[in-house]
Amino acid sequence: MGSGQELYKKAKALIPGGTMLLSKRPEMFLPEQWPSYFSKTKGCSVWDLDGNELIDMCIMGIGTNTLGYGNDEVDAAVLETVKKGNMSTLNCPEEVYLAEKLVEINPWADMVRFARSGGEANSIAIRIARAASGRDKVAICGYHGWHDWYLSANHNDRDELSGHLLPGLSPKGVPRNLKDTVFPFHYNNFGELLSIVEKNEIGVIKMEVVRNFGPEDNFLQKVRDLATKKGIVLVFDECTSGFRETFGGIHKKYNVEPDIAMYGKTIGNGYALTAIVGRKSVMEAAQTTFISSTFWTERIGPTAALATLKVMERIKSWEIITDKGKQMQRQWQNLASQHNLSITVSGIPALSTYSFNSKNAMEYKTLITQEMLKRGFLASTSFYSCTAHTDDKFESYFTALDEVYKVIAKCENGLIDVQGLLEGPVCHSGFKRLN
């Protein structure tokens, strides 16, 4: 057991749940063996507490660092801000410059508010959209954070979020009087959304533009037309998808414009900044309610975002990470075919994932993480690409993964019992996000 696992044992006694983010819990990867904590990062390398360098062919900070860890240009801008001062009684000018840039990137929009996390951005967007529409009820599709408004869907007559996030999420602590205020619908099921809108006074439609697969039968345009016809505020949650296939929201790819869009994760390359971008007619409703927080005024977030957008635009990072994601998906499929293994690959290229079509899928996922860790990789069955994922990293990754697939093939053919190969418990199930 390494220093990281020793520290995680202490963390579980001091921190409810052990970590601040469900997706970073060691049990999601390799229970009792995952390094858990890092000492430093650079490019696509992570060093654990014992000084071991690990190549991150996994989720790159949950998709936050598309320019790689420790991008020199972004970090230089941040360090200059640290020298000059991060907080003041006065406001930082960078928030105005960043708002200008985001409106330029989103010509359908006029105004911007900033926060520091995706959950905050989603809650701000909902508050503004409800205020603008004058109606409380929301139709949702996808994952939009942990706040009361979202989790209240599980106060409805059934476990409404099972197909959108995780089954069995408890809404304890969420007021029961929020029951029947949020109604999930499934991606590409326009009839389901239409039924929800016809039966309820829906004021907001809030959705991820795309997750594991794209729109069919003009789905997004139908949603846009319905929202316009019914006077409903349409909100696109681009906290995850933004800046991965276009310079801005992935909605640009489908030529459908929302009333509000949120950006996060990629926009600050690891520094905390989220943005709520919208039409003036909707965004001005923020003035009729109360949305305010001290640390939304700190300077590092906007500074990092401005520098990140500058680098992204110059190198066309969204094209680079999409190409690398396609390369990963293609090579996963090729390797599986070589070993007569059946896998299903999904996700947009820059946020690729796959699963084994086998009753032992979770055991194989755990085995991959276990064995790839021994070979110097942070790896699972997901890959979030960044510009620092060079061809030599791919080559060494697939050389190592080939060895693991050989073993999995023997397990599938009944020659080896996968349980006997695991050195700890099977990993926990993660987010489904089946939109």
Side-chain angles (χ1 to χ4, degrees), residues 209-264:
V209 182
V210 63
R211 171 65 65 165
N212 290 331
F213 44 82
E216 299 171 357
D217 192 25
N218 212 26
F219 175 65
L220 292 176
Q221 189 60 55
K222 286 180 178 178
V223 174
R224 172 69 274 178
D225 292 343
L226 176 65
T228 301
K229 179 181 177 181
K230 297 287 187 178
I232 296 170
V233 177
L234 177 59
V235 182
F236 283 166
D237 182 350
E238 296 255 23
C239 283
T240 296
S241 58
F243 296 90
R244 297 199 197 270
E245 289 201 1
T246 73
F247 187 52
I250 203 169
H251 67 267
K252 287 185 171 185
K253 177 179 176 180
Y254 302 105
N255 198 31
V256 178
E257 296 175 346
D259 299 307
I260 294 177
M262 292 95 62
Y263 298 109

Side-chain angles (χ1 to χ4, degrees), residues 22-277:
L22 175 63
S23 298
K24 282 192 177 183
R25 285 185 188 171
E27 290 85 357
M28 293 293 185
F29 300 95
L30 192 63
E32 300 178 6
Q33 298 174 71
W34 192 242
S36 306
Y37 301 94
F38 73 97
S39 58
K40 65 177 182 177
T41 61
K42 189 66 178 178
C44 62
S45 290
V46 177
W47 284 261
D48 68 14
L49 297 187
D50 295 312
N52 299 305
E53 181 182 356
L54 302 164
I55 306 303
D56 195 340
M57 302 298 282
C58 195
I59 52 178
M60 286 300 297
I62 319 296
T64 55
N65 290 73
T66 58
L67 301 178
Y69 297 125
N71 178 272
D72 290 340
E73 195 167 334
V74 176
D75 284 0
V78 168
L79 287 172
E80 190 62 26
T81 286
V82 171
K83 291 176 185 177
K84 290 181 177 179
N86 184 45
M87 285 290 279
S88 163
T89 298
L90 302 181
N91 296 291
C92 71
E94 289 83 0
E95 66 185 25
V96 183
Y97 308 147
L98 181 57
E100 282 184 315
K101 185 63 179 177
L102 289 171
V103 168
E104 175 191 314
I105 292 170
N106 298 274
W108 54 269
D110 310 287
M111 306 184 84
V112 186
R113 287 296 300 257
F114 297 113
R116 295 299 178 271
S117 73
E120 287 179 327
N122 274 276
S123 291
I124 291 167
I126 282 294
R127 176 75 64 79
I128 293 173
R130 280 171 161 165
S133 71
R135 284 166 274 166
D136 296 339
K137 295 185 178 181
V138 182
I140 62 166
C141 180
Y143 173 59
H144 308 297
W146 63 273
H147 290 74
D148 285 6
W149 76 269
Y150 180 72
L151 198 55
S152 68
N154 278 351
H155 276 319
N156 299 356
D157 293 333
R158 55 194 178 91
D159 185 4
E160 294 275 24
L161 295 178
S162 289
H164 288 76
L165 179 60
L166 285 169
L169 284 181
S170 172
K172 286 184 178 178
V174 177
R176 291 186 179 277
N177 60 6
L178 293 178
K179 181 179 184 290
D180 294 326
T181 58
V182 174
F183 303 88
F185 65 96
H186 292 83
Y187 195 77
N188 278 329
N189 193 334
F190 181 72
E192 184 181 21
L193 171 61
L194 184 60
S195 177
I196 290 170
V197 169
E198 295 291 349
K199 294 177 182 177
N200 301 277
E201 287 292 316
I202 298 296
V204 185
I205 297 173
K206 193 169 199 300
M207 61 183 294
E208 291 183 281
V209 182
V210 63
R211 171 65 65 165
N212 290 331
F213 44 82
E216 299 171 357
D217 192 25
N218 212 26
F219 175 65
L220 292 176
Q221 189 60 55
K222 286 180 178 178
V223 174
R224 172 69 274 178
D225 292 343
L226 176 65
T228 301
K229 179 181 177 181
K230 297 287 187 178
I232 296 170
V233 177
L234 177 59
V235 182
F236 283 166
D237 182 350
E238 296 255 23
C239 283
T240 296
S241 58
F243 296 90
R244 297 199 197 270
E245 289 201 1
T246 73
F247 187 52
I250 203 169
H251 67 267
K252 287 185 171 185
K253 177 179 176 180
Y254 302 105
N255 198 31
V256 178
E257 296 175 346
D259 299 307
I260 294 177
M262 292 95 62
Y263 298 109
K265 292 188 185 289
T266 59
I267 200 172
N269 203 56
Y271 294 97
L273 192 287
T274 52
I276 303 91
V277 181

